[in-house]
Each structure stands twice: as C-alpha cells, then as structure tokens.
C-alpha cells in the first residue's frame, strides 16, 4: 500500500511512500524488544545524556525540520519552528528531572521495610496524528524513553516525511539502534501490533473514534494505554471580563495551527450583557490575521491539512447556518489551489447545530450566549468532550469557585489552554484518559512495584 504526502498549500504531491512489509515490521519489533533489555539497564543519568543529545540535534536541524512540517501540514513556518523548539525543551526537562521522578520511594505511613520502585514496561507503541507531527511524538517519547522503555511510532499517512525524519533524528543524536523506530503502515495494521506480545503499552493522540478502537484493542490484550483525543474546549467570557484581552487571547487560541488542535478554543460561551461587544472585538481580531503562504513569516493562518478535512468543516458551518446560526465572518473555502478556509465566526449557536454539538477542527469560532454563571456551566459541560477550558473574569475568586464545576482535564483563568512539560496534560469523558507530561507522564508506562525487605 502506498502512503501519499501532499502539500496542502499547493495541492501538489510531495512524495509517495511504500508501506513497510510484514518482514520489516517483524524486524522492527524484534529490534525494539532486543534494544529494550540494554536500554533499561542504562542508568537514568546515561539516558538523560541521550535526551540532551536529542535536544541539541533538534535545534541543529530546526530550520529543515520546520520546513518539513510546513510542507506536509501547512502550518505557518513560525509555528513550525516553535514546535521543534518545544520538542527540544521537553527532552531537556525529562533529562533534568527524570531521575528524581523515577527514584525509589517510601510512601508516607508505609512499613519501614517496604519501598516502591518504578521500572520500565518494554516497547511502547505510539500512534500519532498529523497536526503536531513532532510535538505529539516527543511529548510521549521523552518520558517513555527516560523511564527505560523503547518506542515504535506509527504516524499519520500524510506526514510520512516527518515520521521518517523523527527516526533519523534519533540516529543522528547517537541514540542506540532500535530504541526508537518508525513504521509506515496503514491504520488497519495497528491492531496486529497491539496484539503482539513484544508491545507492552500504547499511547495514542487522535480522534475519539480512533481512541475507541485502540482502547478496545489494548483492553482485549490487557495492555495499558494513554489516550489524548478530541476536544470542544469552552472559553467562558463573563460579564466582568476584560473584553479586549479576552478577544486577543481567544482569537489566538482559536486559530493556532489554523484551528487544527484538539486543545484550541472551540466554543465561546459569553454572558449576554457583553456578547455583542465581545463578538465585535473577536471578529475584528480574527479578521486581522494574515492568511496565506505558510512559508511566509508574516502568515498567521495557513491551509487546512487536507481537502477532505476542509470539506467536512464547511459542511458543519453550512449546516449550522441552515439551523439558525448567524454568520459574522468568513464561512467559505478560499479560491485557488490548496486547502484554505476563510477564518469564520458564527454567533447565535445553539444545540442541534454542528458548531454546538461537534468538534470543529479548523478556523471556526462559535459564540454561544448565556445569561448566568449557572447556564454557562451547563453549556460548558454540554458536550461529550472534556479536554481543556478557560474562564475570563476580573474576579479570580469567582473563577476559582467555577473551576471545579467544569468537566475538563485543564482549566486556565484569563489565559489560553496549552501543554507545558511540567504539568499533566489530558482530559476526561470522550477526550480520553491517562496523562502526559510532568511526573504523571513518566509514570504512565512503568511498573509501579512494591519491594518488601524482611
């Protein structure tokens, strides 16, 4: 089977990749399994040296890697560079703190002759999406590898170039052979990998549909998994919010990576007293963003990653308008080559519209008016997702009182939701389970073992 990489800004084919054969898959599994026994025996200090080498290699190749992201995904080049830098930082973070996260512990109140140790599981299968092709992998790989696991990457078909470049980075950094490998395979072959006894655990970032399949397959094989899935993040703008600041942050949060992020702002839940003023400010902000060639440093919004994704988004917008949503900006594909979609703002969004009910994975903002904090909480939680959320208000005490009422893995006050190497990242409900990053990420794929010495 062939896997095709297409430049979404031009519509032109970049490269056709052949899938790895069954013989190559078997060789990769064998090599990862063999490499694990040597890798886990390295001290945390030795593994940390490899992670620092990865960080140096990422920075050395930053421009070339960023160009590759922009070519395959259509991400504005400044954001692609920032993605590579973030990968370097997460490697450095675990190199610095990994040993203390993995140190033996004596739990409070435990018998004095007992302690807890953290040991690697084996080879982790990473099933990754296209929207942050390097960051999604490195935020899972850095802690997993620091813990002593090895890793096999199955990436999205449209970013095969990035997937192979990631494997090359590990080679260039001098990481031992077999510790991290890329397999170019179609999604239908993932189940066989999960069933293989040499795969110890699975981490997936992707759609909720993909998460259900992988969770079922991992469950059947009795293997742990971490799932970071879809989101329809609510951003609550209360009547006392600083509307200029809120509009600025909300526009940026909606349009990062051309709106193609599970944790970007999706639904703007605005108190009716300030809805009219806020939406004017939001429209002005979003309209000011430069759309165009993603290789141009002035561009802030590039193309969507694929034509089918653009068509799906437009169908959601069109159906929402037919059902009563009011179009304030955009609402259509842009003419010319590539997968460009006009930055769009919808208001008067209500239940029964895709803009309310579904995840909108593109540059579309949905504004929902509410009359009270109670209604705002109800609307915020009226979704199958629970990844991130944000609250905008001048009253921090009020925000802290509302925070526990929101079904989400992360809540930010007067700021946009984002991942940080030091903090747990993940969601609840159909946004998945498990956590990445911080101490929680490195302990996601370890055997937490009790040791009793009589």
């Amino acid at each position: 089977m062939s896997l095709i990489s297409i430049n979404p800004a031009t519509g032109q084919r970049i490269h056709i990749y052949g899938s790895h054969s069954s013989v190559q898959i078997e060789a990769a599994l064998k090599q990862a399994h063999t490499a694990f026994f040597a890798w886990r025996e390295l001290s945390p200090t030795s593994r940390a040296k490899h992670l620092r080498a990865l960080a140096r290699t990422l920075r050395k190749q930053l421009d070339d890697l960023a160009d590759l992201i922009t070519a395959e995904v259509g991400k504005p080049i400044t954001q692609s560079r920032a993605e590579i830098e973030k990968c370097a930082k997460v490697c450095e973070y675990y190199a610095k703190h990994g040993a203390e996260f993995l140190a033996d512990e004596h739990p409070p109140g435990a018998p004095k002759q007992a302690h807890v140790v953290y040991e690697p599981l084996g080879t982790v299968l990473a099933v990754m999406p296209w929207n942050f092709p390097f960051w999604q992998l490195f935020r899972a790989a850095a802690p997993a590898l620091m813990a002593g696991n090895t890793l096999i990457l199955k990436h999205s078909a449209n970013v095969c170039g990035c997937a192979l470049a990631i494997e090359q980075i590990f080679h260039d950094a001098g990481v031992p052979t077999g510790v991290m490998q890329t397999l170019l395979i179609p999604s239908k072959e993932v189940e066989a990998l999960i069933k293989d006894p040499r795969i110890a655990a699975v981490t997936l970032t992707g759609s909720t549909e993909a998460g259900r399949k992988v969770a079922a397959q991992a469950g059947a094989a009795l293997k742990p998994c971490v799932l970071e899935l879809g989101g329809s993040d609510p951003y609550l703008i209360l009547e006392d919010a600083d509307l200029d600041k809120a509009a600025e942050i909300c526009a940026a949060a909606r349009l990062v990576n051309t709106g193609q992020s599970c944790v970007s702002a999706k639904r703007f839940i605005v108190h009716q007293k300030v809805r009219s003023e806020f939406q004017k400010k939001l429209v002005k902000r979003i309209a000011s963003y430069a759309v165009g060639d993603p290789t141009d440093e002035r561009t802030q919004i590039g193309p969507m990653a694929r034509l089918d994704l653009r068509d799906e988004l437009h169908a959601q917008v069109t159906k929402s308008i037919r059902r009563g949503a009011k179009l304030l900006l955009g609402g259509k594909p842009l003419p010319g080559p590539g997968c460009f979609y006009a930055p769009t703002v919808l208001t008067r969004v209500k239940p029964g519209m895709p803009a309310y009910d579904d995840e909108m994975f593109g540059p579309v903002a949905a504004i929902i008016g509410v009359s009270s904090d109670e209604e705002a909480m109800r609307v915020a939680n009226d979704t199958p997702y629970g990844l991130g959320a944000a609250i905008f208000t001048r009253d921090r005490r009020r925000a802290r009182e509302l925070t526990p009422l929101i079904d989400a893995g992360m809540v930010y006050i007067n700021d946009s939701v984002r991942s940080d190497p030091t903090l747990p990242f993940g969601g609840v409900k159909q946004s998945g389970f498990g956590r990445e990053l911080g101490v929680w990420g490195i302990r996601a794929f370890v055997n937490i073992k009790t040791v009793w010495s009589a």
Side-chain angles (χ1 to χ4, degrees):
M1 179 178 177
S2 296
L3 304 173
I4 302 174
S5 176
I6 295 174
N7 187 322
T10 65
Q12 295 179 347
R13 180 182 298 166
I14 299 173
H15 196 75
I16 299 177
Y17 298 88
S19 297
H20 282 107
S21 67
S22 58
V23 172
Q24 290 171 311
I25 293 171
E26 171 60 26
L29 286 166
K30 183 177 181 179
Q31 192 171 56
H33 188 61
T34 301
F36 166 68
F37 294 103
W39 181 251
R40 73 175 181 180
E41 292 302 316
L42 292 180
S43 67
T45 300
S46 295
R47 292 198 291 267
K49 289 180 181 178
H50 285 295
L51 286 181
R52 291 191 179 95
L54 282 170
R56 291 193 297 271
T57 304
L58 284 162
R59 291 196 175 102
K60 184 178 180 181
Q61 301 180 16
L62 187 148
D63 287 337
D64 289 341
L65 298 175
D67 288 345
L68 180 57
I69 295 173
T70 294
E72 289 199 317
V73 180
K75 182 175 297 185
I77 188 63
T78 55
Q79 295 180 30
S80 295
R81 292 182 188 135
E83 180 174 339
I84 298 300
E85 174 60 27
K86 195 171 184 178
C87 294
K89 287 181 177 178
V90 79
C91 290
E92 290 172 335
Y93 173 76
Y94 282 105
K96 182 177 181 180
H97 298 286
E100 64 187 273
F101 292 159
L102 297 168
D104 296 355
E105 287 187 342
H106 181 263
K112 64 180 180 180
Q113 63 266 46
H115 66 280
V116 175
V117 299
Y118 299 96
E119 298 175 346
L121 294 177
T123 299
V124 177
L125 172 64
V127 182
M128 293 291 132
W130 50 264
N131 55 339
F132 291 86
F134 282 77
W135 170 243
Q136 308 280 22
L137 181 278
F138 273 91
R139 79 178 185 201
L145 297 178
M146 185 63 205
N149 300 292
T150 55
L151 189 137
I152 286 179
L153 167 64
K154 185 277 174 197
H155 224 319
S156 290
N158 58 321
V159 290
C160 288
C162 291
L164 293 173
I166 289 169
E167 183 179 69
Q168 186 63 42
I169 289 165
F170 280 78
H171 173 78
D172 294 345
V175 176
T177 300
V179 169
M180 186 278 156
Q181 298 172 84
T182 288
L183 286 178
L184 301 184
I185 57 174
S187 296
K188 64 183 180 180
E189 295 186 26
V190 167
E191 184 174 8
L193 286 177
I194 293 174
K195 289 180 178 179
D196 192 286
R198 290 164 293 188
I199 295 294
V202 187
T203 180
L204 175 141
T205 298
S207 69
T208 297
E209 180 183 359
R212 286 195 189 98
K213 292 178 181 178
V214 166
Q217 293 160 6
L222 294 178
K223 295 178 182 180
C225 63
V226 170
L227 305 176
E228 195 273 284
L229 310 178
S232 187
D233 286 9
Y235 275 46
L236 283 60
I237 294 87
L238 307 185
E239 75 275 12
D240 66 341
D242 180 334
L243 297 184
D244 287 318
K245 179 181 179 181
E248 177 184 0
I249 292 172
C250 289
R254 175 64 284 209
L255 297 175
V256 65
N257 195 27
T258 313
Q260 299 168 116
S261 171
C262 54
V263 77
S264 66
K266 305 278 175 48
R267 298 174 296 138
F268 300 96
I269 301 168
V270 189
H271 197 287
Q272 291 287 15
K273 289 182 179 178
V274 296
R275 181 175 64 87
S276 179
E277 184 179 359
F278 172 78
Q279 64 190 30
K280 288 178 184 177
K281 292 179 182 294
L282 184 66
V283 167
K284 184 177 180 180
R285 280 281 180 183
I286 289 179
S288 72
Y289 274 60
V291 181
D293 179 0
T295 66
D296 188 328
E297 300 215 6
R298 296 167 295 182
T299 295
Q300 296 166 289
I301 303 176
M304 295 186 64
R306 301 195 311 259
L307 275 175
D308 63 305
L309 298 173
R310 186 182 73 171
D311 292 344
E312 180 181 349
L313 182 73
H314 186 53
Q316 290 175 306
V317 170
T318 301
K319 185 179 288 186
S320 296
I321 294 171
R322 284 203 309 264
R323 294 182 178 180
K326 181 179 179 181
L327 180 66
L328 298 179
L329 181 71
K332 59 184 178 181
L334 293 176
C339 309
F340 292 89
Y341 195 83
T344 297
V345 180
L346 299 172
T347 192
R348 299 179 187 172
V349 172
K350 298 182 182 301
M353 302 176 183
Y356 184 102
D357 298 333
D358 304 329
E359 180 178 22
M360 303 280 278
F361 213 67
V364 178
I367 297 174
I368 305 165
V370 294
S371 300
S372 65
D373 287 359
E374 292 73 21
E375 187 180 5
M377 292 299 103
R378 180 186 61 76
V379 172
N381 293 331
D382 189 20
T383 173
Y385 301 108
L387 193 51
I391 302 173
F392 292 85
T393 174
R394 288 185 170 92
D395 187 342
R396 291 183 179 274
R397 183 168 67 98
R398 181 184 181 190
R400 287 193 293 270
E401 290 173 350
L402 294 175
T403 294
L405 305 178
I406 299 178
D407 299 334
M410 300 160 283
V411 179
Y412 281 58
I413 298 171
N414 295 323
D415 210 340
S416 58
V417 181
R418 65 183 74 93
S419 59
D420 183 282
T422 68
L423 298 171
F425 185 86
V428 296
K429 302 196 294 189
Q430 292 186 24
S431 288
F433 52 77
R435 291 294 181 268
E436 295 179 298
L437 301 175
V439 64
W440 305 269
I442 203 169
R443 293 182 181 173
F445 296 122
V446 295
N447 176 18
I448 305 174
K449 180 185 287 185
T450 295
V451 178
W452 183 291
S453 301

